[in-house]
Amino acid sequence: MEKDSELLKYDCSEKILKRELKKPVSSIPIERLIKILTHSNLNHKLVDIKKHLNSLNIQALGFRVREKLAELPFLTKDIQQKLVCDKFKSVRVILAKNPIISEDLQILLFNDNELDVKFSLAKNIGLTESIQKKFILDSVGANSALAQNPNISE
């Protein structure tokens, strides 16, 4: 339990990280691994971490864990693809904000039925130019349709 409370601190010390990362990445519980990833710079372990994350059954993880995964700045394409189809809207909303998502996944999120997902995507600083244009055309089309609606008051 003491390890968990130490890892919850925002500033994860090198000592704690070294202790945790002496183990193979695959033996670290995903919740603890996400805490470590969220609160530290682990460029030296990134390859191992990505391999481990790719080997996980993402959908078997709790939705809160998937939400945390969706925030990570180095998600592999495989993990992104699993999260973009997540049944929980909150996971897709968080993923849509992540600036590293690829354009093909931005398209899937743009076409999501949930408006919250689209709004999060629209705010994404990594939004590609073609998706920006889709948002513009989509809003122009909606405004045009509203203008033609006889029940809309002026």
Side-chain angles (χ1 to χ4, degrees):
M1 283 302 164
E2 184 180 308
K3 283 183 187 179
D4 282 341
S5 65
E6 289 177 54
L7 287 172
L8 282 172
K9 293 178 186 170
Y10 182 74
D11 189 20
C12 216
S13 74
E14 270 305 305
K15 184 178 176 183
I16 297 167
L17 289 174
K18 285 180 183 173
R19 181 179 66 212
E20 285 298 311
L21 295 174
K22 282 181 183 172
K23 310 172 209 170
V25 171
S26 59
S27 71
I28 301 172
I30 187 65
E31 292 83 0
R32 182 171 291 145
L33 184 60
I34 288 173
K35 287 175 190 170
I36 293 170
L37 294 172
T38 306
H39 301 300
S40 60
N41 179 6
L42 296 174
N43 290 334
H44 62 286
K45 279 290 211 180
L46 217 45
V47 172
D48 291 344
I49 292 168
K50 284 182 177 181
K51 281 182 191 172
H52 174 59
L53 291 176
N54 278 335
S55 71
L56 292 175
N57 177 0
I58 300 294
Q59 296 307 318
L61 301 172
F63 81 96
R64 295 278 184 223
V65 174
R66 294 194 311 272
E67 288 175 342
K68 289 292 186 190
L69 269 177
E71 293 176 338
L72 294 176
F74 53 79
L75 289 177
T76 62
K77 182 94 173 194
D78 279 352
I79 296 170
Q80 290 177 36
Q81 287 174 327
K82 291 173 186 173
L83 293 174
V84 81
C85 300
D86 200 282
K87 65 183 177 182
F88 283 89
K89 174 180 76 170
S90 61
V91 173
R92 299 190 316 276
V93 164
I94 292 169
L95 181 65
K97 295 176 190 176
N98 194 327
I100 60 111
I101 56 175
S102 62
E103 183 172 11
D104 56 328
L105 296 181
Q106 287 182 15
I107 291 169
L108 292 174
L109 292 166
F110 177 83
N111 292 323
D112 196 290
N113 291 331
E114 295 288 342
L115 281 178
D116 291 344
V117 174
K118 286 181 88 163
F119 290 153
S120 290
L121 181 63
K123 296 175 189 173
N124 186 326
I125 61 170
L127 199 62
T128 64
E129 190 175 330
S130 66
I131 303 299
Q132 291 173 26
K133 288 178 182 175
K134 283 183 170 291
F135 271 108
I136 292 166
L137 292 173
D138 194 42
S139 69
V140 168
N143 288 338
S144 174
L146 277 173
Q148 295 173 12
N149 185 332
N151 291 329
I152 301 292
S153 59
E154 292 182 29

